Amino acid sequence: DWAVENAEVVTYRDGTPIPQVTDANEWENLTTGAWSYYNNDPTKPRLYNWYAVAGIHDNDPNIANKEFAPEGWHVPSDAEWTTLEEYLIANGYNYDGTTTGNKIAKSMASITEWNSSTNTGVIGNDQSLNNDSGFNAFPEGNRNNNGSFNNEGNNAIFWSSTENNTNNAWNRNLNNNNSNLNRNNNNKQNGFSVRFVRDLNRKPLFKIRGFFSKWKTQNYLNNFTRHTYSALRESVKNHRLLSLKKILSKIYYFFAMN
């Protein structure tokens, strides 16, 4: 199961604080974990450098890394992101209903807050048709490795736990003007969003949908209202009928979560 909300942790699993770093020069020189609000604005979401994701809290190589995710969860690897992508494609979540080619961005993006676009099949075009999968990615932007902020409204970027080399790590990117989920590797000092995946030895919450669940344990009814009711309503409003499989999976999701 994949979480349907971004990480908002401020400590590692054992309770060790993850430093909040607001200063751009300090951020640029980090080689240990840190987080910041987008634009250093507490009303915005938290962004994390890759060192936090990896649990690197000390430059002493003899000190073990921490666990970033809460008990029972982990940060998805690059391979797990690929598995998610392939699952969504194979199960008809491309914007045109096909089962080949990577055109799943709309199905993963939230129905609001993206900058608009007139291009066919992209996230920013007719946002009421987004989020069929329930992944619900908001365009929270990023913090660059030099400490500056940008791309709010344009991008939702998520770290994987997999590094590419000493300086870079793999991530996935949704863009308002694209129809695909992009795979990139970027400097570990960048601040991106993070999603969690439930550990395999944990009992799944549902089986039809198979991937997405709340990692927090409250507001399940609100989650149903936000993701299920609005998705069905918008489908009728736009004369766009969901497949029976998708309708059943959304209904099953609600009952399985309660």
Side-chain angles (χ1 to χ4, degrees):
D1 298 341
W2 285 67
V4 296
E5 294 179 349
N6 292 352
E8 289 287 343
V9 298
V10 294
T11 66
Y12 295 107
R13 184 179 296 177
D14 67 357
T16 301
I18 304 171
Q20 178 186 7
V21 175
T22 58
D23 182 75
N25 290 330
E26 183 180 356
W27 183 274
E28 184 176 12
N29 291 293
L30 287 168
T31 54
T32 55
W35 67 272
S36 72
Y37 294 111
Y38 182 87
N39 220 22
N40 291 320
D41 180 347
T43 67
K44 304 289 186 181
R46 290 182 174 92
L47 304 171
Y48 301 88
N49 65 15
W50 189 83
Y51 303 113
V53 170
I56 301 172
H57 65 103
D58 193 291
N59 286 317
D60 186 343
N62 296 313
I63 296 179
N65 293 342
K66 303 288 186 180
E67 292 291 340
F68 178 74
E71 183 71 29
W73 298 85
H74 64 274
V75 177
S77 67
D78 183 54
E80 286 176 303
W81 274 105
T82 299
T83 297
L84 173 61
E85 174 187 327
E86 292 173 348
Y87 173 89
L88 292 175
I89 293 170
N91 284 273
Y93 285 95
N94 281 341
Y95 77 84
D96 57 3
T98 59
T99 55
T100 58
N102 180 344
K103 294 173 277 187
I104 57 175
K106 285 187 73 66
S107 76
M108 300 180 72
S110 62
I111 62 174
T112 60
E113 299 188 20
W114 294 86
N115 291 332
S116 62
S117 173
T118 58
N119 293 336
T120 301
V122 304
I123 291 172
N125 186 356
D126 198 351
Q127 295 177 47
S128 66
L129 303 182
N130 292 354
N131 201 36
D132 273 358
S133 74
F135 190 84
N136 205 36
F138 284 89
E140 297 180 344
N142 60 278
R143 188 170 196 178
N144 298 312
N145 59 307
N146 66 2
S148 62
F149 299 88
N150 64 353
N151 289 316
E152 185 181 31
N154 292 331
N155 286 347
I157 310 177
F158 300 93
W159 280 122
S160 81
S161 62
T162 307
E163 63 180 347
N164 180 46
N165 54 44
T166 302
N167 297 318
N168 291 3
W170 292 104
N171 60 80
R172 294 302 188 278
N173 180 10
L174 294 168
N175 178 268
N176 70 304
N177 209 33
N178 287 338
S179 62
N180 60 309
L181 174 66
N182 296 302
R183 177 179 184 254
N184 300 306
N185 71 90
N186 293 94
N187 191 288
K188 296 174 181 178
Q189 292 169 322
N190 282 287
F192 296 154
S193 300
V194 181
R195 285 288 175 100
F196 295 135
V197 177
R198 188 182 296 274
D199 293 342
L200 286 176
N201 61 346
R202 295 285 172 155
K203 182 179 178 181
L205 294 178
F206 49 37
K207 300 182 185 305
I208 294 180
R209 203 171 202 180
F211 272 96
F212 305 115
S213 64
K214 294 281 284 184
W215 77 272
K216 295 179 180 177
T217 57
Q218 68 270 24
N219 297 324
Y220 289 151
L221 181 58
N222 289 339
N223 186 52
F224 168 74
T225 302
R226 183 168 64 252
H227 300 313
T228 308
Y229 172 74
S230 63
L232 295 174
R233 183 198 62 199
E234 292 297 340
S235 295
V236 174
K237 175 183 174 182
N238 291 282
H239 308 287
R240 180 176 181 270
L241 296 177
L242 294 171
S243 69
L244 178 60
K245 177 180 178 182
K246 290 180 181 178
I247 293 175
L248 288 174
S249 70
K250 290 174 186 292
I251 294 172
Y252 187 88
Y253 173 74
F254 168 63
F255 289 107
M257 294 296 284
N258 287 271

